[in-house]
Amino acid sequence: MVECCDVFLDSFFVARQPVFDSEKNIWGYELLFRNSEGTNVADVGDEDAATSQVIADGFGLIQDDIEEGQRLLVNFPRNMLLEGAADFLPPEVCVVEILEHVQPEPDVLESLEGLKDRGYVLALDDYIGQEGFEPFIELADIVKVDCLDLSPEELTNVVGNLKQLGVKLLAEKVEDNEMFRRCQELGFDLFQGFFFSRPEIVPGKKVSTSNLNRMQLLSSISGDDFDVDDLTEAINSDVSVSYRLLKFMNSPTFGLPNEINSIKQAITLIGYRKLAGWLRMILLSDMSSGPTGNELAFLSIKRAKFLELVCLEVKHCPLSSESMFMLGLFSLLDVLLGRPMEELMKELPVEKELMLALVGKQNKVSLYLDLVKCLEKAEWDNLGSLIMGNNLSSLAVARSHLAAMQWANEVVLMGREN
């Protein structure tokens, strides 16, 4: 894991958005950054400086956490293309994304041709069929089509025209499973958006036996009352959870001075609250399966840590930091299990304000969930409004989110180890 300097933490909001292939495997990620230094408004200020910061810090930060063969898309404004900034990044990983307001002028096209000659993959951003971009399309390996900005008929026409040119098509802003399936049928190769984090409820679907056991364990550690022997027995009855919990607790990330050899020893030495927090995280991660499940686990764990850290930064947090951690951790439970959140909340005895926020009711707690969703989607204007309207510190939000991303990366990577 690359250490991130304090200047970077203090200066930038960062979003990491997954890009999937048609089988919902993760093809790569787009990195999106926004300057936050010295203002409560998420104002980019200088997009050249933003891209420079991505190159200097952000790319290296994320690159160590991706799997072999995955790609990272980075936005390049006109000046950065002309100055050869992409040469600082490895062509086997970096995809140079041409922003939609860059014009196909001779000097820009010459720079792009040079990048192609040096082995870089080029992507054209936010294409909706506008005229004049033909020179870019001829050079581009990937064309990103904005699905939200086109009617179904327009989308079909744009795709038909592009497929004749032999470019790889990336559907962006795919916000639900219905749109994902439509884009699949149209022949898109890659998909970007938050369709994978929207619940797709199947009537009559039952939770698997293993996930039912995990739900029961989650329920048993959602309150303050517990019995050490009962909790130990419950954890030990699930071999997978026991193994993963012990592995986490004996890892450098957990930071214990002595080796933990049993669940009962862990409860005694660590204490119930800390153990319960880690156990919730492991149980939720264990419920996920496949590439989208892994991404959901990452988002859940990152949200949990972010909300915990932000709670520690504000003067009047509506819940304890432990409850804020739980809010983030459970925020995608309906997607992971394919059941309505209202039903799941009946099985988990959580605080009323936390429960209301999880089922979509607006209250003082839901504000923080809105905050992390804006960060994930790179909705910078909405983020700035939330920060200013609630007297939050933009620097504290930026620091907390990036620290949570680093922490979640470490935890998820550790969970993948055999």
Side-chain angles (χ1 to χ4, degrees), residues 323-361:
S323 294
M324 293 294 281
F325 186 94
M326 195 185 302
L327 172 66
L329 197 63
F330 289 172
S331 61
L332 292 165
L333 196 58
D334 54 343
V335 188
L336 279 164
L337 297 179
R339 291 178 60 198
M341 187 67 82
E342 289 84 353
E343 288 184 14
L344 295 172
M345 288 300 98
K346 293 175 183 177
E347 300 171 14
L348 291 174
V350 299
E351 296 169 68
K352 181 179 179 181
E353 291 301 308
L354 190 153
M355 181 271 292
L356 290 173
L358 287 173
V359 299
K361 304 295 184 182

Side-chain angles (χ1 to χ4, degrees), residues 140-211:
D141 303 281
I142 301 168
V143 175
K144 300 179 68 176
V145 179
D146 187 338
C147 296
L148 276 185
D149 209 29
L150 295 169
S151 69
E153 294 77 17
E154 290 171 333
L155 184 60
T156 300
N157 291 334
V158 167
V159 171
N161 293 334
L162 288 172
K163 287 184 77 67
Q164 296 178 30
L165 302 175
V167 294
K168 185 172 287 188
L169 300 182
L170 191 159
E172 60 177 338
K173 300 180 183 175
V174 182
E175 295 298 296
D176 56 43
N177 281 282
E178 182 180 351
M179 175 61 79
F180 173 75
R181 285 188 285 268
R182 172 164 169 71
C183 289
Q184 272 185 315
E185 292 169 359
L186 287 173
F188 278 94
D189 306 284
L190 301 171
F191 309 83
Q192 182 178 356
F194 286 84
F195 65 93
F196 70 98
S197 65
R198 295 287 181 89
E200 189 172 28
I201 307 302
V202 180
K205 178 180 178 179
K206 295 182 178 179
V207 180
S208 67
T209 302
S210 59
N211 278 344

Side-chain angles (χ1 to χ4, degrees), residues 161-385:
N161 293 334
L162 288 172
K163 287 184 77 67
Q164 296 178 30
L165 302 175
V167 294
K168 185 172 287 188
L169 300 182
L170 191 159
E172 60 177 338
K173 300 180 183 175
V174 182
E175 295 298 296
D176 56 43
N177 281 282
E178 182 180 351
M179 175 61 79
F180 173 75
R181 285 188 285 268
R182 172 164 169 71
C183 289
Q184 272 185 315
E185 292 169 359
L186 287 173
F188 278 94
D189 306 284
L190 301 171
F191 309 83
Q192 182 178 356
F194 286 84
F195 65 93
F196 70 98
S197 65
R198 295 287 181 89
E200 189 172 28
I201 307 302
V202 180
K205 178 180 178 179
K206 295 182 178 179
V207 180
S208 67
T209 302
S210 59
N211 278 344
L212 184 61
N213 291 338
R214 288 164 174 74
M215 281 293 294
Q216 291 171 344
L217 262 177
L218 277 173
S219 180
S220 71
I221 56 173
S222 293
D224 292 325
D225 297 327
F226 76 102
D227 180 88
V228 172
D229 291 332
D230 289 345
L231 183 58
T232 301
E233 184 179 352
I235 296 172
N236 285 334
S237 66
D238 193 313
V239 175
S240 173
V241 171
S242 299
Y243 166 74
R244 294 185 66 195
L245 186 59
L246 287 174
K247 183 174 72 170
F248 275 126
M249 289 187 298
N250 285 301
S251 70
T253 300
F254 206 84
L256 291 175
N258 300 312
E259 187 174 276
I260 301 294
N261 298 310
S262 71
I263 300 300
K264 191 167 186 177
Q265 180 189 10
I267 297 173
T268 304
L269 292 179
I270 298 171
Y272 171 69
R273 284 188 177 276
K274 192 169 185 179
L275 177 66
W278 275 83
L279 183 55
R280 291 187 198 108
M281 180 188 66
I282 290 170
L283 288 168
L284 203 62
S285 180
D286 224 34
M287 290 181 191
S288 64
S289 60
T292 56
N294 289 337
E295 191 65 21
L296 288 169
F298 168 81
L299 282 178
S300 299
I301 294 165
K302 184 212 68 178
R303 287 181 178 188
K305 192 65 176 179
F306 169 74
L307 294 178
E308 177 190 50
L309 293 174
V310 165
C311 181
L312 296 174
E313 292 271 7
V314 300
K315 291 182 179 179
H316 303 291
C317 188
L319 295 175
S320 67
S321 59
E322 292 91 348
S323 294
M324 293 294 281
F325 186 94
M326 195 185 302
L327 172 66
L329 197 63
F330 289 172
S331 61
L332 292 165
L333 196 58
D334 54 343
V335 188
L336 279 164
L337 297 179
R339 291 178 60 198
M341 187 67 82
E342 289 84 353
E343 288 184 14
L344 295 172
M345 288 300 98
K346 293 175 183 177
E347 300 171 14
L348 291 174
V350 299
E351 296 169 68
K352 181 179 179 181
E353 291 301 308
L354 190 153
M355 181 271 292
L356 290 173
L358 287 173
V359 299
K361 304 295 184 182
Q362 289 297 309
N363 59 13
K364 292 181 180 179
V365 178
S366 62
L367 152 71
Y368 294 90
L369 209 48
D370 293 339
L371 198 67
V372 74
K373 289 176 182 178
C374 285
L375 282 161
E376 290 165 359
K377 293 189 174 186
E379 294 177 347
W380 306 128
D381 291 339
N382 291 337
L383 176 66
S385 297

